[in-house]
Every structure is written in C-alpha cells, then in structure tokens.
Amino acid sequence: MMHINNYTISKIIKPNTLKFFSAFIGLIFLSSCASSKKLNYFNDEDKNEPILKQDIINYAPTVQYGDMLNVNVTSIEPELAIPFNIMEIQDNRMIRQIPYLVNADGTINFPVLGKIKVDQMTTQEVTRLIHERLLPYLKDPTVTVQLMNFKVSVLGEVSNPGSFTILNERINIPEALALAGDLTIYGKRKTITLIREQNNTREFIPIDLTDKSIFSSPYYYLSQNDILYIESNKTRVNSSKVGPNTSLLVSSLSILISLAAILIN
C-alpha cells in the first residue's frame, strides 16, 4: 500500500497551482454575486430627499375588438327589462346571462336597440350610452357593464407564470408580478418587456423596475390581454450552458484545495 506524505502532496500540487485554483474559485463566486441595485425595485439615489407624493391616475381600460361584455339591465318594472337581457338555460337548468362579443367593426348587437358602437370606450361610458338609449323604453333603467375577459399574462423568470383574470378591471405592473409570485433572482429587473395589442397594432414596451419613475409611466396600469415577459439574466443563461453539475464540481474542487492546503502546511 502506497503512503502519501506531506512532501509528496506538496510536489503534486505546487503552490502556484494552488493559487490558480483558489483564484478560479474566487472568480466564480464573484461572478455569481449581483449588485443590490440590479435586484431591488424602485431605486432611489438620494435616500435623504423628502417624501415624494404623486397623483394617482384614474385609469380605466377601453373596450377592444374581441372583448366580451356582460350587460345587465334592470328597471322598477322588471318585466319590461326582460327583452334587454339575453339569457340561456344550461344543462343543470341554471339560467346564465350571455355576454356580448365586440365585433370587428367595434359594435355589439343589443336586443331591441340594435348595433351599438362601443370600441375605445370605457365600461362607464358604455353604461351611460346604453342607459340613454333605454330611456324611451324603460322607466328609471339601471345598467351594469363589465368586461368578462380582462386578463393579463406574466411569462419568463417568475415563480408562478401564467394568465390571471382580473375582476375589477384595474391592475398595475407590480400587482401583476405579485400574482405571478414575483421575479426570481435570475430575472432581469431593468429590461422587462410589456407586449400590448390595441387598435390592430402590437407594441413592445421596455419597463425598468429599478427606476421609481415607473409609477408615472403611461404603461403602469395594464390593459386587458397585456403580456409581461421577464428575460433571464446572464447567470441563468450561463448555468443552462454548463449544466447542473457545475455547483457540485466547484464544491468538490474547493474541498480538495482546502484539504491540500492543510496538508502542505
């Protein structure tokens, strides 16, 4: 059986080699560290500045082609309001109100009233318009309009990617990211992409989460069917190239170098 003494190990692992591996390990750990400015949201360069107050925008989404609108009409004379509500009986004999599809020309086909143009209007504006059209037919009508397909999608480096239905028709970027479980440490905070389709156009809007000016951005509040995409940073990309065994290799090398240094000394 061959015995290896300290002198033999010192000959096998030369001091210069040991220094090289130590430096190599150090570079790997340094490259994996990220600046807090790249990870923190809404950075503020001057921590001593007074509290900043901003007016909150009274944002409301507008109706687009392909949207589904739920319109409910009631009156102090309920029987007269029946023709203005389209209902269907389902298999379980439950009565369900049928939503209205916004056509390519921006209209909905409303009972009795015919075609009503609703695109580029908020649900409140649609409510007022239908209310005015109903006055010759109903006494004191009450109209409720709701977007049925208001959803946003969050993709990429988040904990829980997916599409999320929003009932109150109002959501901002931080709230959407919170629904998706927030960004992982591998997500780029400075280059989020907002994809928005409106008026037959598609926009790709860059969003910087590290800048607090996002709160005054016209894109702070999301529209229906918006998509947020979070790109992977270099750490994630590099780890996918070298494979899952890299951390194990680095740990093993670190242990071997530490053991060799102890034996040499």
Side-chain angles (χ1 to χ4, degrees):
M1 182 176 180
M2 183 177 64
H3 297 279
I4 301 178
N5 54 30
N6 292 353
Y7 176 78
T8 305
I9 292 178
S10 64
K11 289 295 183 181
I12 296 175
I13 304 178
K14 296 181 179 180
N16 289 338
T17 304
L18 185 62
K19 290 180 180 179
F20 170 78
F21 279 112
S22 299
F24 175 72
I25 297 293
L27 285 174
I28 290 178
F29 283 112
L30 286 175
S31 63
S32 64
C33 296
S35 169
S36 62
K37 290 184 178 181
K38 295 181 179 180
L39 294 177
N40 294 335
Y41 300 152
F42 324 130
N43 284 329
D44 188 354
E45 295 297 334
D46 186 3
K47 300 298 183 181
N48 297 320
E49 71 176 8
I51 296 175
L52 177 64
K53 293 184 179 180
Q54 295 180 335
D55 294 331
I56 297 177
I57 301 173
N58 188 19
Y59 172 81
T62 57
V63 177
Q64 307 290 329
Y65 160 59
D67 281 344
M68 302 294 292
L69 292 179
N70 185 40
V71 182
N72 184 54
V73 178
T74 59
S75 173
I76 58 174
E77 299 174 316
E79 65 279 0
L80 297 180
I82 293 176
F84 299 97
N85 296 285
I86 302 179
M87 303 289 185
E88 70 173 359
I89 300 177
Q90 298 178 317
D91 294 337
N92 57 3
R93 297 185 178 181
M94 295 291 292
I95 299 177
R96 183 182 75 92
Q97 189 164 13
I98 301 176
Y100 297 89
L101 173 66
V102 180
N103 302 313
D105 61 356
T107 65
I108 59 174
N109 295 315
F110 203 81
V112 182
L113 303 181
K115 283 191 173 183
I116 300 177
K117 194 168 181 62
V118 296
D119 67 326
Q120 304 307 311
M121 300 176 66
T122 66
T123 53
Q124 289 185 346
E125 292 171 338
V126 176
T127 299
R128 288 194 292 266
L129 176 61
I130 296 177
H131 181 271
E132 292 174 1
R133 298 279 186 91
L134 289 172
L135 289 177
Y137 303 92
L138 298 175
K139 184 177 181 180
D140 296 330
T142 300
V143 181
T144 304
V145 179
Q146 182 183 18
L147 270 172
M148 301 298 292
N149 63 319
F150 194 108
K151 64 180 178 62
V152 296
S153 300
V154 186
L155 307 174
E157 284 294 342
V158 290
S159 300
N160 182 33
S163 295
F164 306 93
T165 300
I166 312 303
L167 298 178
N168 63 357
E169 303 174 10
R170 181 185 174 97
I171 186 171
N172 56 46
I173 291 176
E175 288 173 336
L177 294 175
L179 288 176
D182 201 3
L183 278 70
T184 69
I185 60 172
Y186 301 109
K188 287 185 177 181
R189 270 76 175 158
K190 295 181 69 66
T191 54
I192 289 179
T193 301
L194 169 61
I195 305 171
R196 174 171 294 177
E197 295 184 2
Q198 282 187 349
N199 305 324
N200 297 320
T201 60
R202 182 180 295 114
E203 295 181 273
F204 296 86
I205 303 112
I207 301 294
D208 184 357
L209 281 181
T210 66
D211 190 345
K212 68 179 180 181
S213 64
I214 183 179
F215 292 101
S216 58
S217 168
Y219 300 103
Y220 177 68
Y221 287 100
L222 300 177
S223 296
Q224 64 269 40
N225 303 315
D226 276 357
I227 299 173
L228 287 173
Y229 174 68
I230 293 82
E231 186 179 351
S232 300
N233 59 23
K234 290 183 179 180
T235 303
R236 171 69 83 184
V237 173
N238 292 336
S239 65
S240 65
K241 290 180 180 179
V242 298
N245 295 324
T246 303
S247 59
L248 178 60
L249 176 61
V250 172
S251 299
S252 300
L253 283 174
S254 178
I255 293 173
L256 288 175
I257 292 174
S258 300
L259 179 60
I262 293 172
L263 293 174
I264 290 173
N265 295 331

